[in-house]
Amino acid sequence: MKTDIINLVKSGLQRVPELEGFLDDHVADNAVERTKDPTHGDFSSNIAMRYAKVTNKNPRDLASIIIKEIPESNLVKKIEIAGPGFINFHMSDLAFHEEISKIITTKDLYGKSQKKRKEKILLEFVSANPTGPLHVGHGRHAAYGATLGNILDAAGYSVKREYYVNDAGRQMDILCISVIIRMLEINTPNLLMPAAGYQGDYIETIAASLNKKINNNLVAIFLNLQNENINQDKEQYIDILIQSAKDTLGLNEFNVIKKISLELIRTDIEDDLKEFGVTFDTWFSENSLAEEGHIKTTLSLLENKKLLYKKDGAIWFKATEFDDEKDRVVTRENKNNTYFTSDIAYHHNKKVRGFDRLIDILGSDHHGYIARVRAGLVAMGHQEKDLEVELVQFVNLFRAAKKQSMSTRSGEFVTLRQLREEVGNDAARFFYIMRSNEQHLDFDLELAKTKSNENPVYYIQYAHARIASVFRQLEEKKFNYNEQIGKDNISALVTNKEKSIMSFLSRFPEVIELSANNRAPHNLAQYLRDLANEFHSYYNDSIFIVEDENIRNARMLLIKATQLIIKSGLQLLGVSSPKSM
């Protein structure tokens, strides 16, 4: 419906001589909005105010000229000027009737763009270190990323979803040594897990599953190191253990244990996410950046552009030339590349693979990461706008008003799987995205499990189930639902509540577009909650199954359209639509 008004405005603008040479489709596309006050009509355009300066006319006078040139349409009942020069459109009843018919005809395609956009998007999200199960904080990233991907798809974008597997670096070595200690601990109970090791039960599970014998000499070495380093810094101590294991077992054996441990955890993460309705097109290995020469290519590219220099034995990238706050080390004195080097090589690789826009979904503590990676991309010849980072704030999980710990090192964290088992996938998916990703989220377990109107996901699903119940009642009373009779008599829907629902349903395409453009799934969640409220109010105030065949089918048509939109919206959120509750 909004598109119809935009097209009418564009047609009018093209007939105004004073605007010749100034017209821009992008301006017109963004100059029409829904009105907040229905007394001002259904849509409002500020197009006259946007072009007033270039035409040297008063906005109200220009608005009057534009209105005269807008073609007549049976979708528009009245056009008027308001305030300093707004053009307000009052839609006809026919416009809303046609929209309801369109919903019934197109079903789950309604509101979704049939025109595919050229921009190819790579959406990277979750990408948690594979050092343990996903916790409830990762769950918010998963729900937000998956839902945003669905909405971008619906808006016509070509979207690929990617998980970046951090399978290189020190954290993987810490994982490996933690597993080795648990393997040795079975026969050596006085061997203690270092404070910097991973403490969770999953480490014991991995250790028990490994059918491997460990060099007995390592037990004595570790016990000796344990006594010698009792007051040692915990990070230095675990590094000593790691090096000792590599020396004693041999690097090849150490890496075999590491690889098996990594794959067990990565598989568990993938299974956990699949059960949560979150899947990825690619799982990109950090190790592959070095193995396949991407890091070497990146460093050569920067060196050829004279953007690297040596200082204090390290190699630095001139990041300050690209608006970063300071230059960045790419290769340390010990010849090892930094995490930053992997990051810019990875993002350069994304562009090489043909993606136009790179959307990274990261934790809010990664704010400083944005400028440095963007600097690397620009330095390698890409555009600053190619990288977009959406930051997700932390989750506070409350159980009986007590905040839960989520530290992966301590082993005291609550896993995503545990949360899903307790509240269900539907509640978890909805609660994670019902607030803006930029806001902290207090996840209330008790509310998520409540079957009441206070629980937003239950409230929306109940609206869908209530409509299904009405159709069952219709069948029980031996009435047939005739869609065509409903369409033919939709003009019989004249109450304020019926008109309000029709107006609300017609907003669905705009909500998808808004949610996609603003990367804001919570807008869709709020819309569905408001729509459910509209329906419940209509349900409590109306009788659908009446004797009059024409009115009955018209009302059934309206609630069927409502059910279709609720189901379509919930699908985008990754939430089910039960027919009974």
Side-chain angles (χ1 to χ4, degrees):
M1 189 180 287
K2 181 180 177 181
T3 302
D4 294 327
I5 297 302
I6 290 173
N7 290 335
L8 285 173
V9 170
K10 285 181 178 179
S11 295
L13 294 175
Q14 290 168 1
R15 300 179 184 183
V16 177
E18 291 91 337
L19 292 174
E20 188 175 351
F22 297 113
L23 294 181
D24 182 341
D25 278 350
H26 180 73
V27 173
D29 288 339
N30 292 278
V32 175
E33 296 294 339
R34 288 270 181 173
T35 59
K36 294 180 180 179
D37 184 349
T39 61
H40 296 158
D42 300 289
F43 292 93
S44 182
S45 175
N46 64 358
I47 195 70
M49 290 181 280
R50 293 195 177 200
Y51 281 121
K53 187 174 182 180
V54 296
T55 59
N56 197 27
K57 286 187 175 294
N58 178 282
R60 286 184 65 91
D61 293 339
L62 182 57
S64 179
I65 294 171
I66 294 171
I67 288 174
K68 290 176 182 177
E69 299 298 339
I70 291 176
E72 288 189 10
S73 170
N74 56 10
L75 301 179
V76 179
K77 180 170 60 179
K78 183 174 66 174
I79 306 176
E80 59 186 6
I81 302 172
F86 289 102
I87 301 175
N88 291 346
F89 295 82
H90 297 256
M91 306 304 290
S92 67
D93 291 342
L94 177 64
F96 294 105
H97 298 164
E98 288 190 355
E99 211 67 20
I100 299 303
S101 293
K102 192 184 297 183
I103 294 170
I104 295 295
T105 302
T106 58
K107 297 181 172 59
D108 62 343
L109 294 178
Y110 179 78
K112 298 173 183 176
S113 176
Q114 301 308 302
K115 183 179 179 182
K116 295 302 177 184
R117 309 188 196 216
K118 294 180 180 180
E119 189 176 49
K120 294 181 179 179
I121 295 175
L122 183 62
L123 184 63
E124 185 216 328
F125 60 106
V126 185
S127 297
N129 287 341
T131 53
L134 298 176
H135 59 57
V136 296
H138 299 134
R140 189 178 192 190
H141 287 247
Y144 174 72
T147 305
L148 179 58
N150 293 341
I151 291 172
L152 290 169
D153 276 336
Y157 290 97
S158 172
V159 184
K160 294 295 182 183
R161 298 149 178 85
E162 185 158 283
Y163 190 116
Y164 181 61
V165 183
N166 300 96
D167 53 4
R170 182 170 176 268
Q171 293 306 314
M172 290 295 97
D173 285 349
I174 294 175
L175 170 67
C176 184
I177 200 65
S178 300
V179 171
I180 289 172
I181 288 171
R182 289 299 185 214
M183 292 170 72
L184 296 174
E185 192 181 46
I186 296 171
N187 297 313
T188 314
N190 57 333
L191 180 63
L192 304 176
M193 176 67 73
Y198 290 101
Q199 313 285 334
D201 292 343
Y202 65 93
I203 298 295
E204 292 182 28
T205 303
I206 293 171
S209 71
L210 292 179
N211 186 24
K212 299 184 73 66
K213 291 184 178 180
I214 297 293
N215 188 320
N216 288 331
N217 293 332
L218 196 58
V219 175
I221 293 171
F222 277 8
L223 286 173
N224 186 49
L225 288 171
Q226 186 172 292
N227 293 329
E228 289 180 358
N229 293 276
I230 191 167
N231 297 317
Q232 178 71 276
D233 174 84
K234 65 178 184 178
E235 298 298 339
Q236 292 179 353
Y237 175 41
I238 201 163
D239 285 341
I240 292 170
L241 292 177
I242 290 168
Q243 191 58 52
S244 298
K246 289 179 178 180
D247 293 342
T248 306
L249 299 177
L251 191 58
N252 183 62
E253 181 66 12
F254 184 89
N255 286 338
V256 167
I257 296 172
K258 179 165 66 173
K259 183 177 180 181
I260 294 172
S261 302
L262 163 70
E263 190 53 32
L264 286 171
I265 292 176
R266 196 205 67 79
T267 299
D268 178 72
I269 289 173
E270 184 173 6
D271 291 343
D272 195 6
L273 290 171
K274 278 184 180 177
E275 291 169 8
F276 196 34
V278 179
T279 58
F280 293 88
D281 297 292
T282 50
W283 292 71
F284 191 98
S285 164
E286 180 184 357
N287 263 329
S288 71
L289 292 171
E291 292 171 355
E292 298 177 11
H294 301 302
I295 289 178
K296 183 178 180 181
T297 299
T298 298
L299 292 176
S300 296
L301 182 60
L302 293 175
E303 186 174 13
N304 291 339
K305 292 188 173 190
K306 303 188 185 306
L307 294 173
L308 300 180
Y309 64 92
K310 290 184 179 180
K311 177 184 174 184
D312 300 328
I315 298 176
W316 296 69
F317 162 56
K318 298 177 181 178
T320 50
E321 293 188 10
F322 303 93
D323 296 327
D324 195 5
E325 62 183 1
K326 61 182 180 180
D327 289 349
R328 304 288 175 178
V329 175
V330 290
T331 306
R332 298 188 182 95
E333 302 93 309
N334 60 9
K335 308 304 180 186
N336 291 331
N337 294 318
T338 62
Y339 286 120
F340 170 68
T341 310
S342 296
D343 288 337
I344 59 175
Y346 174 46
H347 284 78
H348 176 56
N349 173 266
K350 290 181 181 182
K351 291 296 298 178
V352 169
R353 281 186 275 156
F355 293 100
D356 302 302
R357 184 174 296 273
L358 316 177
I359 301 180
D360 291 0
I361 296 175
L362 304 172
S364 58
D365 55 339
H366 285 71
H367 188 274
Y369 168 98
I370 303 172
R372 68 190 72 166
V373 175
R374 189 168 278 148
L377 273 173
V378 174
M380 288 182 284
H382 307 298
Q383 300 296 312
E384 185 177 327
K385 63 180 178 60
D386 292 346
L387 176 64
E388 177 184 330
V389 178
E390 294 295 331
L391 298 177
V392 178
Q393 287 289 346
F394 297 106
V395 177
N396 296 317
L397 179 64
F398 286 87
R399 188 190 306 280
K402 184 179 179 182
K403 188 176 178 180
Q404 303 297 293
S405 170
M406 293 187 292
S407 169
T408 54
R409 289 281 186 93
S410 70
E412 297 174 354
F413 60 92
V414 178
T415 68
L416 172 61
R417 186 175 279 111
Q418 289 171 329
L419 176 72
R420 295 192 296 103
E421 288 172 353
E422 182 167 349
V423 306
N425 278 352
D426 287 344
R429 284 289 294 254
F430 192 93
F431 271 60
Y432 273 133
I433 57 89
M434 69 180 182
R435 298 276 183 272
S436 166
N437 57 292
E438 298 173 349
Q439 296 178 332
H440 284 278
L441 176 66
D442 290 341
F443 196 116
D444 187 333
L445 284 166
E446 301 308 314
L447 179 60
K449 293 185 289 185
T450 300
K451 295 182 177 180
S452 71
N453 293 347
E454 281 68 45
N455 181 346
V457 68
Y458 177 87
Y459 190 61
I460 297 166
Q461 289 178 318
Y462 185 42
H464 185 275
R466 253 186 165 178
I467 295 170
S469 174
V470 174
F471 276 90
R472 287 195 295 271
Q473 292 172 38
L474 185 76
E475 194 172 316
E476 290 167 4
K477 293 183 178 181
K478 309 299 181 185
F479 285 123
N480 292 321
Y481 165 58
N482 189 303
E483 186 178 285
Q484 191 56 53
I485 293 177
K487 289 181 178 179
D488 292 342
N489 291 277
I490 197 169
S491 59
L493 303 177
V494 295
T495 69
N496 289 334
K497 281 187 168 56
E498 287 165 343
K499 289 183 176 181
S500 179
I501 286 184
M502 284 190 278
S503 176
F504 223 94
L505 293 176
S506 72
R507 292 173 181 261
F508 187 58
E510 298 155 40
V511 172
I512 291 179
E513 185 75 11
L514 177 68
S515 300
N517 291 343
N518 293 345
R519 318 299 193 226
H522 67 280
N523 287 333
L524 175 58
Q526 185 59 55
Y527 167 83
L528 292 175
R529 188 172 184 176
D530 291 343
L531 175 58
N533 186 61
E534 290 283 330
F535 168 74
H536 287 306
S537 177
Y538 181 39
Y539 180 94
N540 294 332
D541 194 57
S542 308
I543 299 174
F544 304 124
I545 306 174
V546 296
E547 289 295 329
D548 187 308
E549 181 183 37
N550 295 335
I551 294 177
R552 182 178 69 244
N553 279 287
R555 289 178 179 172
M556 297 302 290
L557 183 85
L558 180 58
I559 65 171
K560 170 57 75 174
T562 304
Q563 187 185 44
L564 286 169
I565 294 300
I566 291 174
K567 181 178 181 180
S568 185
L570 287 176
Q571 282 178 336
L572 292 175
L573 300 184
V575 177
S576 69
S577 305
K579 292 185 177 180
S580 62
M581 295 178 72

